[in-house]
């Protein structure tokens, strides 16, 4: 629907966020999936996919950037385009095909260039890497699955950054599992220096937040033209935190205090992008995902 007022049949999450500087941002999400009966979740978990167009991507060996041949799997990849930096992509690559622990993950960042498809349609468009580098993120070598996972690329005022889940020790919040294998923390990684601190473990300044549990599936939301970064912590219930880049701290802005998230049906996915403006504010959308399938 093109107007949120015509979507009255859909449940709507709306949160009015008031920043310290007086900026007001309304986040409105029309949850179409929530309107589907529980019995229909099976069909949502295994949707049919129609291939609209195929394009060829020229491969580039990871050995050129210092990654060994053992990195033979990829679990997460995404890209975006900015006026200053053009098309950028980020991917998580890992050993063991990303499926057979123990394995280690790494983040690669690069740019791609697209050549036009043949006018007759006989030849598909080609994508070629114009550069590629490993984004080194320090992590613990203890545990079955190590290294940065699920990098989400976004930008603030045109400057790129990555949000990723890393098994690392937080010096300010020690946990019982640190000795054998630290839990995963959300780490902010600046691709461009102007985006913020080079790398930092995000500190959540919120009562009731479990600093020792694995933190995954956070998704960034940067309003158009804003210098503010928001982090969508969970969808059920819908919880959003504001992120202070200079202090590397996150604080809840949705009402009700920190609540336990329900990941049994849906989890956070891609970064949020602007969809359209409506009377109540701006609609931002993201592609979420269901819990992992049983690969056995």
């Amino acid at each position: 629907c093109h107007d949120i007022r015509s979507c009255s049949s859909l449940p709507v999450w709306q949160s009015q966020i008031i920043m310290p500087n007086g900026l007001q941002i309304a986040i409105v999400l029309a949850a179409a999936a929530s309107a589907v009966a529980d019995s229909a979740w099976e069909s949502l978990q295994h949707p049919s996919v129609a291939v609209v167009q195929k394009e060829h991507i020229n491969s580039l060996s990871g050995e050129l950037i210092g990654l060994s041949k053992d990195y033979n799997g990829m679990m997460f990849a995404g890209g975006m385009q900015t006026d200053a930096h053009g098309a950028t992509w980020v991917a998580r690559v890992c050993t063991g095909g990303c499926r057979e622990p123990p394995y280690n993950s790494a983040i690669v960042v690069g740019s791609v260039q697209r050549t036009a498809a043949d006018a007759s349609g006989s030849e598909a468009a080609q994508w070629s890497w114009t550069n590629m580098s490993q984004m080194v993120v320090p992590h613990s070598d203890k545990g079955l699955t190590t290294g940065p996972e699920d990098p989400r690329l976004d930008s603030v005022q045109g400057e790129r950054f990555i949000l990723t889940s890393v098994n690392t020790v937080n010096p300010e919040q020690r946990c019982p599992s640190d000795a054998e294998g630290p839990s995963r923390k959300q780490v902010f990684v600046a691709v461009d220096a102007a985006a913020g601190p080079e790398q930092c473990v995000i500190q959540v300044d919120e009562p009731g937040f479990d600093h020792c549990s694995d933190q995954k599936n956070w998704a960034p939301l940067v309003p158009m033209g804003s210098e503010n970064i928001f982090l969508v912590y969970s969808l059920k219930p819908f919880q959003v935190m504001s992120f202070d880049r200079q202090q590397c701290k996150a604080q809840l802005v949705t009402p009700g205090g920190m609540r336990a998230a329900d990941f049994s049906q849906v989890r956070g996915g891609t970064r949020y992008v602007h969809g359209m403006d409506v009377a109540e504010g701006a609609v931002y959308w993201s592609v979420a995902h269901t819990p992992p399938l049983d690969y056995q």
Side-chain angles (χ1 to χ4, degrees), residues 53-88:
Q53 179 177 334
K54 288 184 178 180
E55 300 191 353
H56 298 294
I57 300 177
N58 298 323
S59 62
L60 179 64
S61 173
E63 294 179 81
L64 297 178
I65 58 171
L67 291 173
S68 71
K69 293 181 179 179
D70 295 333
Y71 286 85
N72 57 0
M74 182 177 70
M75 281 285 286
F76 192 97
M80 66 177 301
Q81 184 160 331
T82 62
D83 293 337
H85 305 287
T88 305

Side-chain angles (χ1 to χ4, degrees), residues 3-6 14 16 25-28 277-283:
D3 190 323
I4 198 70
R5 288 169 295 186
S6 65
Q14 177 170 341
Q16 188 75 17
I25 300 174
I27 300 176
V28 181
D277 293 322
V278 294
E280 292 82 354
V283 175

Side-chain angles (χ1 to χ4, degrees), residues 55-60 74 77-82 85-91 108-116 125-133 153 160:
E55 300 191 353
H56 298 294
I57 300 177
N58 298 323
S59 62
L60 179 64
M74 182 177 70
M80 66 177 301
Q81 184 160 331
T82 62
H85 305 287
T88 305
W89 61 270
V90 63
V108 290
V109 179
S111 299
V112 294
Q113 188 173 41
R114 183 179 185 271
T115 59
Q126 298 277 343
W127 289 86
S128 300
W129 312 131
T130 57
N131 62 68
M132 179 179 179
S133 61
L153 176 69
R160 299 164 298 175

